[in-house]
Amino acid sequence: MAKISSPDPGSDFGPAAADASAGLLSTFAASLAALLIGLVLIFVATDGGHAFTTEALRRGEVERKPQAIPDFALQDGAGSSTALRQLLAEHEKVWIVDFVYTRCQTICTSLGSVYQQLQQQIQERGLQDKIGLLSVSFDPANDDAQALRDYASRMRLDPAVWRIATLASSGDRRRLLDAFGIMVVPAPLGEFEHNAALHVVTSDGRMVAIIDYLAPALALDTALAWLP
């Protein structure tokens, strides 16, 4: 039976093996470099690893540096128009602002429930002159004055605490959504999928905090902390 011998290091097989090993090392080094570059980019894009979503990054930015919001013309359930900045300046309140559309049966229903709880707490603590609730519809094409009145009735809004309005001009929609970091995606049957949060805004038009809508107590405490 023939004996199979090990390859002679001096034979042609030796250099081929060396070349293959060198190629593997080169590929590994390139892959490692690409991985490190990717990690660095993720680290930078996620604010040092503290934010892994656009919304979380936005919240961090606002927390570090309150941001002035642009002015927009709004229309209320009476059909009256007012500027957002003018509304915010009323009575020098701090406002908790959310964004809805009145036909929404999903997340907006949850937001409505959260605002009802906040309204009750504000009333019970006698904070009507200090803290206000504002819901802004980003669907002016459908949310006319009657739709706003129906929403107010359905949610039992106390106008001394909770106001609802829609954009007076649909042309301002993109600017509004960008200013507050709201992401809206069309859904079947003319509806929308969108993110939700509680935005704490001072009477001089500065957004000072963005808080998860499932933490209304924190939103109220934050608003109180920003009272003049």
Side-chain angles (χ1 to χ4, degrees), residues 116-134:
Q116 286 174 332
Q117 296 173 39
L118 283 169
Q119 177 174 260
Q120 182 177 351
Q121 292 176 30
I122 290 170
Q123 291 169 329
E124 290 175 349
R125 296 171 63 177
L127 298 173
Q128 296 93 323
D129 294 333
K130 297 180 178 179
I131 307 296
L133 304 176
L134 175 62

Side-chain angles (χ1 to χ4, degrees), residues 15 43 47 61 66 69-70 89 91 93 97 101 110-111 118 124 151-152 154 173 193 196 202 226:
F43 186 83
D47 192 27
E61 291 174 346
I69 57 175
H91 312 299
K93 291 183 178 182
V97 184
Y101 68 104
S110 298
L111 279 170
L118 283 169
E124 290 175 349
Y151 182 87
R154 188 165 67 250
R173 175 174 158 168
E193 297 290 342
T202 58
W226 278 92

Side-chain angles (χ1 to χ4, degrees), residues 5 11 21 26 30-31 45 65-66 72 82 102 116-118 135 148 157 182 202 204 207 212 223-224:
S5 59
S11 68
S21 297
S26 177
S31 299
K65 184 179 180 181
F72 302 94
T82 185
T102 64
Q116 286 174 332
Q117 296 173 39
L118 283 169
S135 294
L148 297 180
L157 269 69
I182 306 301
T202 58
D204 60 355
M207 180 163 51
D212 193 290
L224 287 169

Side-chain angles (χ1 to χ4, degrees), residues 158-181:
D158 175 357
V161 178
W162 184 1
R163 307 276 294 273
I164 182 166
T166 190
L167 285 169
S169 170
S170 58
D172 284 334
R173 175 174 158 168
R174 182 73 269 158
R175 202 161 58 97
L176 174 80
L177 298 179
D178 288 346
F180 285 89

Side-chain angles (χ1 to χ4, degrees), residues 213-228:
Y213 75 96
L214 296 176
L218 176 59
L220 184 54
D221 287 344
T222 302
L224 287 169
W226 278 92
L227 285 172

Side-chain angles (χ1 to χ4, degrees), residues 48-225:
H50 295 298
F52 287 90
T53 66
T54 301
E55 186 168 334
L57 184 60
R58 176 73 167 157
R59 293 183 187 191
E61 291 174 346
V62 171
E63 183 178 349
R64 288 190 297 273
K65 184 179 180 181
Q67 300 183 10
I69 57 175
D71 206 5
F72 302 94
L74 301 178
Q75 181 174 297
D76 62 20
S80 301
S81 294
T82 185
L84 174 59
R85 287 289 189 88
Q86 180 180 344
L87 189 158
L88 293 173
E90 290 181 4
H91 312 299
E92 296 188 350
K93 291 183 178 182
V94 175
W95 295 82
I96 302 174
V97 184
D98 73 346
F99 297 87
V100 299
Y101 68 104
T102 64
R103 297 172 295 117
C104 179
Q105 300 298 317
T106 53
I107 196 167
C108 296
T109 302
S110 298
L111 279 170
S113 178
V114 166
Y115 263 45
Q116 286 174 332
Q117 296 173 39
L118 283 169
Q119 177 174 260
Q120 182 177 351
Q121 292 176 30
I122 290 170
Q123 291 169 329
E124 290 175 349
R125 296 171 63 177
L127 298 173
Q128 296 93 323
D129 294 333
K130 297 180 178 179
I131 307 296
L133 304 176
L134 175 62
S135 294
V136 179
S137 167
F138 54 77
D139 185 25
N142 293 289
D143 285 341
D144 56 13
Q146 183 61 56
L148 297 180
R149 289 196 297 272
D150 290 344
Y151 182 87
S153 175
R154 188 165 67 250
M155 293 295 171
R156 300 176 183 175
L157 269 69
D158 175 357
V161 178
W162 184 1
R163 307 276 294 273
I164 182 166
T166 190
L167 285 169
S169 170
S170 58
D172 284 334
R173 175 174 158 168
R174 182 73 269 158
R175 202 161 58 97
L176 174 80
L177 298 179
D178 288 346
F180 285 89
I182 306 301
M183 294 166 282
V184 176
V185 179
L189 304 178
E191 297 184 344
F192 302 98
E193 297 290 342
H194 63 99
N195 60 326
L198 306 178
H199 305 77
V200 180
V201 181
T202 58
S203 60
D204 60 355
R206 290 180 300 146
M207 180 163 51
V208 297
I210 303 175
I211 296 169
D212 193 290
Y213 75 96
L214 296 176
L218 176 59
L220 184 54
D221 287 344
T222 302
L224 287 169

